[in-house]
Amino acid sequence: MKKTFNGMVKDSRDELEIIDSHALNTLMKNDKDLVIIDVNDKEETDERGMIKGAFNVSLGTLPYKADQEVPDSFKDNRIQNRDKKVVVTCGLGLCAAIGGKLLQDMGFEDVVNLGGVSDWAEAGGPMED
């Protein structure tokens, strides 16, 4: 069965907890090991900024950056611990849903999707350039 982008987003959202800016703010205050990944391409994150404390791993590279079985030069060590809570975000939350589901499928135990960086910024959440 063929899937569209919107279909993949819907399927992913059905399996992920989606949090809002208030919930993320609470998590950031209470969980010092929290991992926040922005899965948009670098050009997009450079243009709009990212949530303070987040780091960028584009959706296209996420599968091998998070894989423990690839050569070390392919990995991103910030996302190798599958026991940490992971918040996946992007501009609107669409690519983040797909990225979050991908991480769940790879064995990450506690993955949530933030609705989008735009919502966070509008709510006055701290941003980094």
Side-chain angles (χ1 to χ4, degrees):
M1 173 204 262
K2 173 172 91 167
K3 286 192 176 186
T4 64
F5 175 75
N6 286 334
M8 290 188 294
V9 169
K10 182 192 175 312
D11 291 348
S12 297
R13 282 185 168 173
D14 287 347
E15 294 194 35
L16 285 173
E17 178 184 356
I18 300 173
I19 62 171
D20 61 15
S21 298
H22 176 73
L24 176 57
N25 193 37
T26 301
L27 283 173
M28 291 172 81
K29 289 178 183 173
N30 296 325
D31 187 346
K32 298 304 175 200
D33 289 331
L34 184 67
V35 175
I36 306 171
I37 305 170
D38 190 315
V39 296
N40 277 135
D41 291 335
K42 185 171 179 354
E43 296 79 18
E44 293 173 80
T45 60
D46 285 350
E47 186 175 310
R48 72 161 150 74
M50 288 192 298
I51 295 170
K52 186 173 178 133
F55 59 92
N56 177 240
V57 178
S58 68
L59 183 58
T61 64
L62 188 61
Y64 65 84
K65 295 283 186 179
D67 193 338
Q68 294 176 332
E69 297 179 9
V70 298
D72 286 345
S73 61
F74 288 12
K75 297 177 187 177
D76 188 321
N77 290 327
R78 300 171 291 186
I79 50 175
Q80 292 297 307
N81 186 338
R82 283 159 165 67
D83 297 327
K84 291 184 178 183
K85 184 169 200 77
V86 179
V87 177
V88 184
T89 192
C90 65
L92 299 173
L94 306 176
C95 290
I98 294 170
K101 174 70 169 79
L102 177 97
L103 291 175
Q104 275 186 338
D105 291 347
M106 293 179 75
F108 285 80
E109 297 292 326
D110 194 0
V111 181
V112 298
N113 177 8
L114 175 69
V117 174
S118 56
D119 294 338
W120 174 258
E122 287 175 17
M127 297 285 290
E128 293 178 327
D129 291 330

